[in-house]
Amino acid sequence: MSGSPAESFGESDLFIEYALRMTKGRLRFVGIASALLLMLAIATAMILAMVVGDHLIAKGMPWGLMTLLRWSLILIEAGLAGVMIFAPLAKRINDLYVARLIEKAHPEFRNDLTAALQLDGDANVHQGPLRAIKRRAAGEVAATDVEGSVTTRRVKISAIVFASAAVLFAGYWAFSDKSVTDSLFRAMGDSTVAAPTHTRFVLIEPP
């Protein structure tokens, strides 16, 4: 939302509300994306640890330990989802917090957006100056991509962590001399799959 005049959205206060709502949506999106990537990274790392343990331990990882690790992973993922996804979604984001976030990214706003929110509804404030502050604040957010005020640093870090875990998993899968697929089935709870053994390729020459 850049380059649109405040007048195209009607009253200044309505446009300010729109800008705040868009920024809040961006905050929630970044938070959820970061949480999902981090959860995927943790799941990938823990499953890789279970697979490697199943390969290193003679006769495979004990079923009781495999079950404990699997349920630990489920509980960790559920806890992270509750804390990092569902709790923030249920929590209301304060307008002043969003306004200060925007102004921190754009110091040229001169705190007009924060002032407009703080003075709105104050009976001791004359409407003339308040309308002027709101018009100025609306004009400033209209000329700016306010959603860009939300940093995506957390998403980038979580993406790097997940990519690293995925590369490690893929590399182990490619070079392991035991069946990773069998260990994955065991990690997922399939007790009918036997512990993997070494795979050897033998060249049989015709007589």
Side-chain angles (χ1 to χ4, degrees), residues 13-55:
D13 53 349
L14 293 178
F15 184 73
I16 291 173
E17 181 183 348
Y18 173 81
L20 293 175
R21 187 169 65 250
M22 294 297 292
T23 307
K24 289 178 184 180
R26 179 73 169 182
L27 275 170
R28 288 194 171 93
F29 172 79
V30 168
I32 292 174
S34 174
L36 288 175
L37 288 169
L38 180 60
M39 290 170 64
L40 285 172
I42 292 174
T44 302
M46 287 193 67
I47 293 174
L48 175 60
M50 294 168 71
V51 170
V52 173
D54 199 37
H55 288 182

Side-chain angles (χ1 to χ4, degrees), residues 153-171:
R153 183 172 179 270
R154 285 188 303 163
V155 177
K156 293 175 183 177
I157 293 175
S158 297
I160 291 172
V161 174
F162 171 56
S164 300
V167 168
L168 285 174
F169 200 123

